Amino acid sequence: MTAAGIEAFLTVCECKSFSLAAERLFISQSSMSTKIKTLETELGYPLFLRKKGSHAVVLTQEGHAFYGLAVQYRQIVEQMFALRPQQKQQKLRVGSINSIGTHLMGAVYDAFMHQYPHIALEAQDMDTDLAYHHIENGSTDLAFTTGYRFSGKVTAQKAFSEPMVFVCSSRSNYPEVVGPSCLQIKNEVLVDWSMPFVQWRMQTFPHQEAPRIQLAIMSQLPFFLRQPDSWGIVPVSVARALLESGGIEQRRMDLAPPDRITYCLSSTEAHKNEAVALFLRCLQDSLRELEPDGLQISM
């Protein structure tokens, strides 16, 4: 039974809504439902009454009893951390490229802050070159990027890989299985997800027609993909968030884009940093929710 599962349960009770609780914890509604179902499976009894067509949050008899224990658990954890000797607060600096930070790290940051409130977290946005530079000069403890290069001062470890999937506007008529012949580049919403993806795309679509738009700011991606006939190829972690935002659908592909690989960058001394190990544990817990979608954890 994880602390994250208990915290998810308490947040649903406090918000009286699965969707509002998911927003507070910076996770998708499906991830929130998965956390609750996992907790119920571990406990061996349901916590919420589920009625078809009803969105009301109603606790079962066991859920009411468990709520009191969960509140006590949260208080005990807080008291445990309060026993720590007064000392200079630990700090963890985590950087990531925009696409990873926008669609993956929010939930990880939230879980880390809830579980380890004694560690100050600094979230940094950076490109691959800056990520290596910051690790080399010691201004960042961990960084996540899709670019790999050799550096004697940086340990670059494969963190996870995820399949690329096809998404399109709900206001389009793409077939259930799409191939290059039915795709027009003028309707593409393009993101350079990784160098292997860029190379694959150039080979698959060799003509020079410009895409509808090329993006580097992930927060704008849903807007452009909702435009009529828009389409794009995105990592599965991004696709999950897009589908839940509405107005966007997923199709199977008669294509074979390379998986996007994300690397974890750290200094050679990072293994001595307790906060680094704790953060990576939170990251692994979050990534496991995407394993059914084909994501593979390598750490």
Side-chain angles (χ1 to χ4, degrees), residues 6-214:
I6 295 174
E7 190 60 37
F9 167 77
L10 287 172
T11 306
V12 171
C13 293
E14 292 164 358
C15 293
K16 296 180 174 58
S17 164
F18 275 75
S19 59
L20 292 178
E23 289 180 12
R24 180 187 290 187
L25 296 181
F26 300 101
I27 61 177
S28 65
Q29 191 167 344
S30 63
S31 295
M32 174 63 74
S33 297
T34 298
K35 287 181 183 293
I36 297 300
K37 288 178 182 177
T38 300
L39 181 60
E40 290 176 325
T41 299
E42 292 173 339
L43 292 170
Y45 51 80
L47 296 170
F48 296 100
L49 293 174
R50 293 174 173 82
K51 296 182 180 179
K52 189 174 182 180
S54 174
H55 297 287
V57 172
V58 181
L59 289 169
T60 62
Q61 183 177 350
E62 295 86 353
H64 279 288
F66 183 76
Y67 175 78
L69 296 173
V71 171
Q72 292 179 43
Y73 170 85
R74 177 192 274 172
Q75 293 171 344
I76 290 171
V77 170
E78 291 174 352
Q79 291 169 15
M80 288 177 176
F81 283 120
L83 294 175
R84 295 175 67 94
Q86 293 298 318
Q87 56 186 1
K88 184 178 180 180
Q89 188 178 29
Q90 284 183 272
K91 185 174 183 179
L92 180 67
R93 300 158 300 177
V94 181
S96 63
I97 60 175
N98 188 256
S99 61
I100 296 172
T102 301
H103 295 286
L104 272 174
M105 286 302 173
V108 184
Y109 292 151
D110 187 70
F112 182 81
M113 290 187 294
H114 272 89
Q115 295 180 45
Y116 310 107
H118 61 287
I119 302 175
L121 178 65
E122 180 181 324
Q124 305 168 339
D125 183 72
M126 55 187 64
D127 62 20
T128 295
D129 289 337
L130 199 57
Y132 276 88
H133 177 70
H134 278 214
I135 295 293
E136 289 170 345
N137 66 23
S139 57
T140 297
D141 301 302
L142 280 176
F144 296 88
T145 180
T146 58
Y148 176 86
R149 75 181 192 208
F150 174 78
S151 170
K153 297 181 179 180
V154 178
T155 298
Q157 177 188 7
K158 182 178 176 182
F160 59 92
S161 62
E162 53 185 321
M164 304 292 290
V165 299
F166 179 90
V167 292
C168 61
S169 168
S170 297
R171 294 183 289 171
S172 62
N173 294 305
Y174 292 108
E176 287 302 313
V177 180
V178 297
S181 62
C182 65
L183 298 177
Q184 295 186 354
I185 299 300
K186 68 178 183 180
N187 293 322
E188 181 186 18
V189 180
L190 175 62
V191 177
D192 292 342
W193 299 107
S194 67
M195 185 54 65
F197 173 77
V198 172
Q199 294 169 345
W200 170 85
R201 182 185 172 278
M202 291 176 63
Q203 295 171 357
T204 306
F205 305 101
H207 38 73
Q208 300 301 312
E209 187 177 11
R212 168 167 282 178
I213 186 168
Q214 185 165 353

